[in-house]
């Protein structure tokens, strides 16, 4: 945590059998992060892969994006759209209306009359670019991204995580997996 707050980056993987205390260790790290928070611009965000989301592309990143936006899936779509818009406006430059609608599509909160106009590999590439832009924006300040239960992650989220790991080379970010 001190290294991240000092401007460095790190990737930490916690591996162990069920019941060993991995979740408790993450909770202890979170408490330490919060207890030693020096500024209000530091971020902690968590996402947990679920076994039932293995067929849902970007399921893990949907959770992480919601966490970053300060929203939950239980909230109405208009609230999620508002919080997502605030996150994107604060953390990224050059995100246009089409890009915003693409992120809303990722979160399944798009308005019924919204059409993004792309699909398949083009949509996947655009989502990857946008997710990367948001995470790079957030990582301008010290940030910790927790990805829990990665063994349940679907391939699209795992691919994006691997791409985002390069952030540790030039940003104060901790990936806790």
């Amino acid at each position: 945590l001190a290294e991240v707050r000092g401007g460095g980056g790190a990737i930490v993987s916690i591996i162990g059998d069920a019941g060993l205390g991995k979740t408790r260790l993450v909770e202890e790290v979170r408490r330490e992060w919060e207890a030693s928070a020096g500024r209000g611009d530091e971020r902690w965000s968590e996402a947990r892969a679920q076994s039932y989301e293995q067929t849902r592309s970007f399921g893990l990143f949907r959770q992480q994006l919601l966490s970053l936006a300060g929203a939950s899936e239980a909230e109405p779509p208009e609230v999620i759209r508002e919080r997502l818009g605030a996150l994107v406006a604060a953390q990224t430059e050059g995100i246009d209306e089409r890009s915003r609608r693409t992120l809303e599509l990722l979160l399944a909160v798009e308005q019924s009359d919204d059409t993004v106009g792309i699909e398949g590999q083009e949509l996947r590439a655009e989502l990857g670019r946008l997710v990367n832009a948001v995470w790079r924006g957030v990582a301008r300040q010290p940030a910790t991204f927790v990805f829990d239960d990665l063994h349940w992650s679907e391939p699209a989220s795992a691919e994006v995580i691997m791409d985002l790991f390069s952030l540790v080379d030039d940003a104060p970010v901790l990936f806790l997996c």
Side-chain angles (χ1 to χ4, degrees):
L1 296 179
E3 184 177 330
V4 170
R5 287 198 167 106
I11 301 167
V12 176
S13 295
I14 302 171
I15 301 169
D17 294 329
L20 196 60
K22 299 178 299 293
T23 301
R24 178 177 166 113
L25 180 58
V26 170
E27 180 62 22
E28 292 294 325
V29 172
R30 184 188 61 78
R31 283 190 200 135
E32 177 63 27
W33 177 266
E34 291 172 352
S36 61
R39 303 180 306 244
D41 53 2
E42 297 179 345
R43 291 274 187 152
W44 176 281
S45 118
E46 294 185 42
R48 172 168 285 142
Q50 305 289 338
S51 62
Y52 55 83
E53 283 197 337
Q54 286 184 308
T55 59
R56 187 179 193 183
S57 291
F58 296 100
L60 186 58
F61 272 92
R62 290 181 74 252
Q63 287 185 35
Q64 194 68 261
L65 195 54
L66 284 167
S67 177
L68 284 171
S72 80
E73 288 185 353
E75 294 178 302
E78 55 275 2
V79 171
I80 295 172
R81 278 194 300 274
E82 179 182 323
R83 292 185 181 168
L84 177 64
L87 171 70
V88 169
Q91 301 302 334
T92 61
E93 296 176 12
I95 298 290
D96 59 15
E97 184 66 16
R98 179 180 175 195
S99 297
R100 182 195 54 76
R101 289 193 333 259
T102 302
L103 287 173
E104 289 176 0
L105 178 66
L106 174 65
L107 294 177
V109 294
E110 71 278 13
Q111 296 181 17
S112 60
D113 59 344
D114 271 354
T115 56
V116 176
I118 58 175
E119 54 187 43
Q121 286 293 62
E122 185 181 2
L123 176 60
R124 186 182 191 106
E126 177 69 2
L127 286 173
R129 183 186 74 77
L130 293 171
V131 165
N132 195 311
V134 170
W135 264 258
R136 284 197 177 279
V138 170
R140 282 183 250 151
Q141 300 299 325
T144 298
F145 303 117
V146 178
F147 294 96
D148 201 359
D149 290 332
L150 282 177
H151 60 284
W152 294 118
S153 178
E154 88 304 332
S157 287
E159 185 177 312
V160 176
I161 291 170
M162 296 299 288
D163 290 342
L164 289 178
F165 280 168
S166 66
L167 284 173
V168 302
D169 293 334
D170 53 21
V173 60
L174 169 63
F175 287 94
L176 187 54
C177 305

